[in-house]
Amino acid sequence: MKNQIRIAALVFLGLSVAYYLWHGLTSDDVFGWVGWQMALPIIACTVVPLAFAFTADGILPALTGHNSSEFRDAPMGLGTVVAVGQTGLTLNDQPQLRIEFSVEGVDGKTFRSLATMIVPLTEMALLRPGVVLPVRYLPGRTDRVQVDLSGDSSAAQDAMNAAMIRKGITTPAKLDIARRGTSAQAVVRSLSVPGEIRDGHPRLDLELVVTRPDGTAFVARTEKFLPPASVGLVQIGRVVAVNYLPENEQELVISLPVNVSAA
């Protein structure tokens, strides 16, 4: 859509100038150069910069609430915020941010990329280094990405799950427990760190006291690989959300937020 809008604006400018020149050169009237036709190039000269400004990276998605057409059906990756800065442009007093990402694509490869987007002032604090967001990218043109605006949480979760499986942080069996297991709360009773690390995530061995929906409790043990920033969420005495299989209560997984700083 961005290119179509820009091309239409340029065509309008070209036709306006051409008509004005044709009218002036072919008119026998001494005032052939003066008249309503003068307004066309003036309007076009106003429309062209506006068209280019409002179709700049990050502006059109902010106006429509959707990703631009070239990114709308592009593959979804996981973007970890590396740095954030303002571009100096604002839209309705809301700043445009320049966000540097480290993006993990669907093939597991990682690349650096940039995105620009209009962000409400109330949400700026949520964009900080380390926050993970679903992004759309174009294979072969990975210098630019767009934060996914589709609202498709299942697609974002699938991308997250696939990335964690590739890194050995979780398994398909554990994801199945999280999807169809019984939800409950548990209290961390003990914690140990055996020293194994995967993709910067240390392994934690946990003993939990889980409360069943009927109020009874049982003890279960599980392991989980967590980013260092999330270790504080599973300290002894903390209450955590879990899912377990009623037919085998030792098959249990812990549910924690992905972005601890934004939780």
Side-chain angles (χ1 to χ4, degrees):
M1 180 182 291
K2 175 176 71 176
N3 291 334
Q4 289 90 327
I5 293 175
R6 291 181 174 183
I7 291 173
L10 291 173
V11 169
F12 176 55
L13 174 62
L15 292 176
S16 299
V17 173
Y19 178 76
Y20 175 69
L21 293 175
W22 174 82
H23 189 279
L25 292 171
T26 59
S27 176
D28 294 329
D29 191 336
V30 67
F31 297 107
W33 294 93
V34 181
W36 66 268
Q37 66 276 6
M38 290 182 61
L40 293 176
I42 295 173
I43 295 172
C45 288
T46 302
V47 168
V48 169
L50 288 175
F52 275 74
F54 281 98
T55 56
D57 289 339
I59 301 296
L60 193 58
L63 293 173
T64 63
H66 301 287
N67 292 102
S68 60
S69 57
E70 60 180 340
F71 283 92
R72 196 163 299 158
D73 297 317
M76 183 182 293
L78 295 177
T80 301
V81 177
V82 176
V84 180
Q86 295 193 31
T87 66
L89 179 68
T90 60
L91 179 65
N92 294 330
D93 295 326
Q94 298 179 103
Q96 184 187 59
L97 299 185
R98 179 180 181 273
I99 310 169
E100 182 178 351
F101 283 107
S102 175
V103 181
E104 182 178 348
V106 294
D107 56 0
K109 295 181 180 179
T110 302
F111 57 90
R112 287 293 185 97
S113 192
L114 295 173
T116 53
M117 65 182 300
I118 301 296
V119 179
L121 293 171
T122 55
E123 297 179 10
M124 285 182 60
L126 302 180
L127 282 174
R128 62 184 69 183
V131 169
V132 179
L133 298 172
V135 298
R136 300 279 182 176
Y137 69 95
L138 302 176
R141 293 173 51 196
T142 56
D143 58 319
R144 291 280 176 177
V145 298
Q146 286 186 4
V147 174
D148 179 55
L149 300 176
S150 67
D152 189 349
S153 58
S154 62
Q157 188 61 57
D158 288 344
M160 176 68 70
N161 292 343
M164 292 193 296
I165 290 173
R166 284 194 300 267
K167 297 172 183 177
I169 296 174
T170 191
T171 65
K174 289 184 177 181
L175 292 175
D176 180 61
I177 296 172
R179 182 171 54 254
R180 65 183 183 89
T182 299
S183 299
Q185 287 189 330
V187 177
V188 180
R189 190 161 80 172
S190 68
L191 177 152
S192 63
V193 183
E196 183 181 358
I197 298 177
R198 295 181 184 176
D199 193 50
H201 293 56
R203 171 183 157 185
L204 304 179
D205 290 344
L206 303 163
E207 184 178 75
L208 307 169
V209 179
V210 183
T211 302
R212 300 184 184 93
D214 63 4
T216 60
F218 64 93
V219 176
R221 294 173 179 81
T222 188
E223 65 178 42
K224 190 171 182 67
F225 290 88
L226 287 176
S230 298
V231 173
L233 300 178
V234 293
Q235 295 300 305
I236 295 175
R238 292 295 296 263
V239 177
V240 296
V242 299
N243 290 78
Y244 69 93
L245 297 179
E247 63 271 22
N248 184 0
E249 293 178 337
Q250 293 304 308
E251 293 294 329
L252 174 148
V253 295
I254 300 175
S255 301
L256 294 175
V258 174
N259 295 316
V260 175
S261 60

